[in-house]
Amino acid sequence: MNTYARLPVTFVKGKGVWLWDDQDKRYLDALAGIAVCGLGHCHPKFVKAISEQAGMLIHTSNLYHIDKQEKLANKLAVLSGMNKAFFCNSGAEANETAIKLARLYGHNKGIDLPTIIVMEQSFHGRTMATLTATGCRKVQAGFEPLLAGFARVPFNDLEAITQVAVHNKNVVAILVEPYQGEGGINVPQVDYLKDLRQICDENDWLLMLDEVQCGIGRSGKWFAFQHSGIVPDVMTLAKGLGSGVPIGACLAGNMAEEVFKPGNHASTFGGNPLACTAAITTLDIIEEENLMSNAMEQGDFIRKTFQTQLGNMEGVMQIRGQGLMIGIELSKPCGNLVKDALKQGLLINVTLDKVVRLLPPLVIKRSEAEQIVNIVSTLIKEF
Ligand SMILES: Cc1ncc(COP(=O)(O)O)c(C=O)c1O
């Protein structure tokens, strides 16, 4: 179907941060399959692990115990401080799980029309519930009627949430990205999540974090919420979790962990042995190779160098981000930069029309980070 406006390039091979097209031209991948390939392309240990698992057992069913799924759930619980996990295949499905969980939590409390607070400029997926939760008209237009049960407030605005708390007694949860990705790499004020945690505690609401883009080491910690010293009730993951093998997860703790009972939710493929091996190996490699501190270090370097090169330039509004989630907001639409960069052998992205977005692999080296900064700075100066 005609759902993608594809760029005129076909990649056939990858290694580390590099991709090769079918003409054998090499590209530096500063997008990592949109925050998926944190280990870079075809990491040898990862390829070996999934190859061995594929040779042993790929899929059974959630009708049976799956040892790799239990191992992954335990590992994620240790890393996050949360207690339960449900596995699916994508970010949208992980968020569907969270939305269903919040609604059931509300019904269990006697709230017949549960409402979830969501943010402007958020992105949560393309299914009917997740596009309703998404704060972008472009994503919703043409798919009405949207679902009931969502209240929208500006991102990073506690007063707006307090107002909803006063006027809407049906609220059961807040769903928020700790750092907004598709919405333009938006980083909230330092205590935002802490304050949201407090509001949720005071009102008996679930704090549900969408870490599909910012999670799995990209922010410089396993999960973005770990920069705030809080623990959410629900967290969703996907993208970087399986390094390209599709897997999503919805984790739950506190009041959220006992909400689902057998029969409430399910997935045929979710958490099969192959996908869970991919995720376990991804987490192991991130740990062994200190990729979170690398994400922090290279991300700081990239942002600082952009600041030096572009900070005072007219037309550059802001350089922002956290770890290896980097955004450069320009004063005018700049989608053409993607094609210009491609010609120079660099993969970047533009989101919200005006924000150059970089999500390089967590394995990126300083010399590669320098190349990204040099090419992007030159392109923006010439734009
Ligand atoms: C924060 C966030 N949530 C959810 C999604 C949807 O994930 P998927 O495309 O795997 O359904 C995305 C995808 O970009 C995302 O960035």
Side-chain angles (χ1 to χ4, degrees), residues 23 166 204 266 345:
Q23 310 297 311
V166 172
D204 249 357

Side-chain angles (χ1 to χ4, degrees), residues 46 49-50 53 57 68 72 272-282:
F46 180 77
I50 59 170
Q53 184 61 47
L57 186 64
K68 289 282 158 56
L72 175 59
N272 78 17
L274 182 68
C276 289
T277 299
I280 292 165
T281 312
T282 298

Side-chain angles (χ1 to χ4, degrees), residues 122-145:
S122 61
F123 186 84
H124 299 295
R126 300 282 192 158
T127 60
M128 280 312 304
T130 58
L131 75 81
T132 301
T134 290
C136 172
R137 255 323 273 163
K138 243 195 201 164
V139 171
Q140 299 171 336
F143 300 110
E144 297 83 0

Side-chain angles (χ1 to χ4, degrees), residues 67-105:
D67 66 341
K68 289 282 158 56
Q69 190 183 115
E70 288 169 18
K71 191 171 168 201
L72 175 59
N74 285 331
K75 175 118 193 158
L76 286 170
V78 169
L79 298 180
S80 68
M82 302 175 76
N83 291 328
K84 302 277 177 185
F86 175 87
F87 294 102
C88 50
N89 314 286
S90 66
E93 279 176 82
N95 286 327
E96 282 280 339
T97 309
I99 291 165
K100 282 181 68 178
L101 191 154
R103 286 184 165 201
L104 191 53
Y105 168 76

Side-chain angles (χ1 to χ4, degrees), residues 302 305-307 309-319 326-338 340-341 344 346 348-350 354-358 372-383:
I302 292 173
T305 320
F306 274 137
Q307 199 62 52
Q309 302 227 15
L310 302 172
N312 295 323
M313 221 186 103
E314 212 189 308
V316 175
M317 308 305 287
Q318 200 182 28
I319 295 155
I326 297 152
I328 306 170
E329 183 173 349
L330 303 187
S331 59
K332 57 178 180 182
C334 60
N336 285 345
L337 287 176
V338 173
D340 297 343
Q344 309 247 358
L346 177 69
I348 62 166
N349 173 253
V350 167
K354 293 182 190 168
V355 183
V356 175
R357 177 170 56 157
L358 304 174
I372 294 174
V373 175
N374 289 340
I375 298 173
V376 172
S377 297
T378 308
L379 287 173
I380 290 177
K381 282 176 191 162
E382 288 169 356
F383 180 63

Side-chain angles (χ1 to χ4, degrees), residues 34 89-93 95 123-126 177 179 181-182 210-214 236 238-239 357:
I34 319 185
N89 314 286
S90 66
E93 279 176 82
N95 286 327
F123 186 84
H124 299 295
R126 300 282 192 158
E177 295 157 85
Y179 306 118
E182 304 300 305
D210 178 344
E211 296 233 7
V212 167
Q213 190 162 144
C214 61
T236 56
K239 287 191 181 282
R357 177 170 56 157

